[in-house]
Amino acid sequence: MPANTDPQPPSGTPRVLTPGRGRQALALLGFLALSLAAWALASIPIILNSNGWFAGSVKAPWMPPGWMFRSMWMMLYAGVAVAAWLVWRKGALHGGTLAGYVVQLVLNAGWPLTFFGLFPVFGTAALWGALAVISGLALSLVFLILRFGPVSAPAGLLVLPYFSWVVFSSSLNFYSALHN
């Protein structure tokens, strides 16, 4: 009897087909565009309020300059887009994993709206609300790290800097809530 040299998976194991190069490139562009849209949406309340109430607010002594925030968030959004694309390429961006990805995008876009946009209306309560939003964002990133990592180690690693920056940003939010 000849040996079976066919690289078929054992019966019962689902076979994941890798999308073609063109589809992969379009998907990567789509993930990057989605992240760019979330970043642009998140930027609106920041732009509208950074020279207003926020300019005169009490800030944490470890607060970095504004240009650093813009640069970091752009890189982090790109990183999470690439991470999601890597998981998508393996056929694993569905169900709870896809929901976790969408939740982190919504929470990330929602944090500036809560922190910057709602402060003029609700005052310090908005800063505490923003802390709740950014804490939810941190939890959603832990979820993504745990979901992305086993599928693609580079994808899980790409989310780690994002998580670290969110924890750092949470400390700034907490300081603002205490002192404003």
Side-chain angles (χ1 to χ4, degrees):
M1 181 184 272
N4 183 2
T5 57
D6 191 14
Q8 296 290 325
S11 66
T13 304
R15 186 175 186 159
V16 177
L17 298 175
T18 305
R21 287 185 186 261
R23 188 165 179 227
Q24 287 185 42
L26 281 175
L28 178 57
L29 288 174
F31 283 111
L32 289 168
L34 187 59
S35 284
L36 178 64
W39 176 76
L41 183 64
S43 297
I44 294 169
I46 297 169
I47 292 166
L48 292 175
N49 293 288
S50 60
N51 290 327
W53 75 265
F54 186 70
S57 69
V58 178
K59 295 170 195 63
W62 58 92
M63 176 85 153
W67 65 266
M68 184 180 283
F69 278 99
R70 287 184 295 278
S71 303
M72 283 301 296
W73 281 114
M74 276 197 299
M75 288 188 302
L76 297 172
Y77 270 117
V80 80
V82 171
W85 174 74
L86 289 170
V87 172
W88 171 84
R89 285 181 58 210
K90 302 250 180 161
L93 190 62
H94 52 79
T97 305
L98 177 60
Y101 175 71
V102 170
V103 164
Q104 68 79 29
L105 281 174
V106 169
L107 290 173
N108 203 328
W111 178 82
L113 174 64
T114 309
F115 186 90
F116 289 95
L118 295 182
F119 182 84
V121 177
F122 297 109
T124 303
L127 302 180
W128 289 106
L131 185 61
V133 172
I134 203 166
S135 297
L137 175 58
L139 290 174
S140 73
L141 294 175
V142 169
F143 176 81
L144 286 184
I145 292 165
L146 294 174
R147 284 294 185 94
F148 283 10
V151 174
S152 166
L157 291 171
L158 278 169
V159 182
L160 285 174
Y162 184 13
F163 173 73
S164 299
W165 187 254
V166 166
V167 170
F168 173 72
S169 296
S170 297
S171 75
L172 298 172
N173 189 149
F174 183 65
Y175 189 91
S176 288
L178 285 175
H179 295 61
N180 287 290

